[in-house]
Amino acid sequence: MSEKKKDELLHDHNHDGIDRRGFLKCMAWAGTGALCVMSGGVLKSYSMSRTPEISTADMMGELSFVQISDSHMGFNKPANTDVAGTLKAAVGKD
C-alpha cells in the first residue's frame, strides 16, 4: 500500500475541498471568524466564509456574536497602535 501524500485531503465532509487537518494547517498562518447564534437554548456556529449561504431566519436568535481571531504566527513588524480603529474598519467592510 502506498504512503499517503502529506497534504492529501482525507475527509471532505462538507464538500468544500477542506478537511480538518488542512484547515488547521492553513489557519496557523491566518485569521478566522465565526458567527455564533443561540436559538432555543442551542448554540450554533457558522463559518464567516459561508454567511452568504445562511438564511436570515437562521441568523436570528436570542443571542448572536462574531468571534474573530488571528494567530500572528510569523508576524515580525511593530504592533498595531490603533486596534480599535482597525477593528471598526474591518467590521465596516462588506
Side-chain angles (χ1 to χ4, degrees):
M1 188 161 113
S2 66
E3 188 176 319
K4 290 189 180 275
K5 294 179 186 175
K6 187 175 182 180
D7 291 332
E8 182 178 350
L9 180 67
L10 301 177
H11 305 286
D12 192 6
H13 299 290
N14 294 319
H15 310 292
D16 57 6
I18 301 171
D19 67 356
R20 182 177 182 275
R21 181 179 303 271
F23 173 78
L24 292 173
K25 184 176 179 181
C26 177
M27 295 321 300
W29 295 101
T32 187
L35 167 66
C36 300
V37 178
M38 178 73 74
S39 182
V42 177
L43 181 66
K44 295 181 182 179
S45 64
Y46 302 94
S47 166
M48 294 298 290
S49 66
R50 301 191 71 185
T51 54
E53 304 167 16
I54 305 167
S55 72
T56 304
D58 286 341
M59 287 195 233
M60 302 297 280
E62 293 86 40
L63 170 71
S64 62
F65 60 93
V66 174
Q67 183 270 325
I68 304 170
S69 65
D70 184 356
S71 69
H72 293 100
M73 284 183 70
F75 189 78
N76 60 2
K77 295 187 173 48
N80 181 353
T81 57
D82 186 14
V83 176
T86 303
L87 178 60
K88 287 178 185 176
V91 170
K93 290 185 179 193
D94 287 333

